[in-house]
């Protein structure tokens, strides 16, 4: 699977999720486009800064920016009935973006010959970075920090790719599908990591 395919899938999915949240929060038209674009590209910018790639590579992805703008526009101007339907699929769009970007980020770091920990960081920050920025700008607690198992699937993706357990195109596609499935199952059943509870004194 090429990076371009992962780019299109991840950017479209995250742009849509950003646009949906912008509409839920009653953003104006400009704000909705900003939130959608930040969601789509924020994780990649963070990843590039972490693994030593130029952060201005974003501006060389003109086609991907158009893809994001088209995806956002489709959501913003779809009939209200369709929008309510899209809202029900928000977790699914988020899961697709998480899976595609986690694989893509891990591949970037792995192909640069970086150590396993760097591959894991690249997978996690590419997979969750845009969504975290989206939630913060929307005045929400980042989903990844407070409920459901979310970032763990990015960590596992980074480990699998960093250790070269899966390398062929069809294997990476299968990994994407598996991450989407695991993310959806964890959302449906409310799986979450143990929470830190402050102990009372005395």
């Amino acid at each position: 699977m090429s990076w371009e395919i992962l780019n299109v899938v991840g950017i479209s999915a995250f742009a849509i999720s950003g646009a949906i949240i912008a509409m839920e929060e009653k953003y104006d038209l400009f704000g909705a486009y900003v939130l959608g674009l930040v969601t789509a590209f924020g994780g990649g910018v963070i990843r590039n800064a972490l693994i030593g790639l130029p952060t201005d590579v974003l501006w060389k992805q003109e086609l991907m920016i158009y893809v994001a703008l088209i995806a956002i526009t489709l959501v913003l101007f779809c009939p209200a009935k369709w929008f309510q339907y899209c809202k029900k699929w928000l977790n699914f769009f988020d899961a697709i973006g998480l899976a595609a970007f986690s694989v893509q980020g891990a591949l970037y770091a792995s192909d640069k010959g970086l150590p396993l920990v760097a591959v894991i960081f690249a997978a996690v920050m590419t997979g969750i970075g845009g969504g975290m920025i989206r939630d913060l700008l929307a005045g929400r607690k980042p989903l990844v920090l407070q409920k459901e198992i979310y970032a763990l699937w990015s960590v596992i993706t980074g480990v699998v790719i960093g250790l070269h357990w899966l390398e062929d195109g069809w294997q990476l596609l299968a990994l994407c599908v598996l991450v989407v499935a695991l993310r959806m199952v964890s959302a449906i059943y409310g799986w979450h990591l143990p929470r830190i509870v402050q102990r009372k004194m005395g």
Side-chain angles (χ1 to χ4, degrees), residues 37 90 107 115 173:
L37 289 171
L90 176 59
L107 287 173
L173 176 60

Side-chain angles (χ1 to χ4, degrees), residues 1 9 23 28 34 36 43 61 70 93 112 140 144 151 167 179:
M1 178 185 293
V9 172
M23 293 182 73
D28 64 18
V34 169
Q61 295 183 303
I70 291 171
F93 291 129
K112 281 178 65 71
R140 302 181 174 191
V144 64
E167 295 182 323
V179 171

